[in-house]
Amino acid sequence: MKFISKFAFLALIVSMIISCDKDDQGTPADNLPGTWRLTDIHSENGVATITIQGIPLTLAYESEGTSYNTTTTFTENPNEFTSEGSYVIHSTIATPGTPTTFDETVNVAGTGTWSITGDVLTETLAGETTEIDILELSKTKMRLKYDVTLSEDNQGLIFQTTATIFSTFEKE
């Protein structure tokens, strides 16, 4: 289950990003400053592989956010963001027989820096830099996409997860 916690953390990072709409006036960075409320976060094409004593077990998974109570505020000069709140990730893992489902609350709290180059939002949080594809950014709506890959060795159990995470925000 620890790989799901890491997925939830990455989903948080993604939930702090914004998207870009080519039809808007000005640059994407012009629309970013302000407070944004997370309205959707979900994964697609999720694959989790657990390797035990050299034998891999690969399972598909999907995750969908619920109970959104998360905001991110972006400022300029300096280009910083602060996120706070929580949401719930509802995950389903295609285990043999009956799929396994569970909910995990993601608590959001952090401050980082941001920049936009073209259709890519680069953000740094807790010393880690992430580049996210901007799908849409208007004065009222943001959508983004992030391909995530995680790997962890936990006392001989190797967890690897991949997924594409999509998130949507509305400006308050």
Side-chain angles (χ1 to χ4, degrees):
M1 292 296 167
K2 195 167 189 172
F3 71 93
I4 297 300
S5 293
K6 287 201 174 228
F7 169 79
F9 175 73
L10 279 176
L12 158 68
I13 290 174
V14 172
S15 73
M16 293 185 282
I17 313 306
I18 313 229
S19 310
C20 165
D21 183 348
K22 308 269 192 287
D23 297 331
D24 284 341
Q25 303 270 339
T27 66
D30 292 338
N31 292 329
L32 188 57
T35 299
W36 296 85
R37 181 174 41 88
L38 178 66
T39 60
D40 177 63
I41 189 164
H42 66 276
S43 69
E44 292 182 5
N45 307 316
V47 176
T49 302
I50 304 167
T51 303
I52 303 169
Q53 297 179 342
I55 301 170
L57 172 63
T58 300
L59 305 167
Y61 74 89
E62 58 185 42
S63 296
E64 180 73 33
T66 65
S67 304
Y68 300 108
N69 185 25
T70 301
T71 59
T72 300
T73 301
F74 291 86
T75 62
E76 289 182 292
N77 299 320
N79 289 0
E80 294 180 334
F81 65 86
T82 300
S83 296
E84 60 186 9
S86 64
Y87 58 94
V88 174
I89 288 288
H90 177 79
S91 298
T92 301
I93 301 174
T95 53
T98 303
T100 301
T101 62
F102 60 93
D103 292 338
E104 182 174 358
T105 299
V106 178
N107 293 306
V108 179
T111 298
T113 60
W114 65 270
S115 66
I116 295 177
T117 304
D119 289 341
V120 176
L121 174 68
T122 302
E123 62 100 25
T124 302
L125 175 68
E128 293 194 29
T129 299
T130 306
E131 292 184 348
I132 289 103
D133 294 327
I134 299 169
L135 302 176
E136 177 183 347
L137 174 56
S138 70
K139 293 185 184 298
T140 60
K141 184 178 181 181
M142 306 175 283
R143 290 187 318 115
L144 58 101
K145 174 186 142 190
Y146 177 66
D147 292 318
V148 62
T149 300
L150 293 172
S151 184
E152 177 183 344
D153 185 337
N154 186 359
Q155 300 178 5
L157 293 175
I158 300 170
F159 298 95
Q160 293 178 313
T161 59
T162 61
T164 300
I165 301 171
F166 295 89
S167 57
T168 303
F169 301 80
E170 291 180 6
K171 199 167 202 178
E172 293 189 334

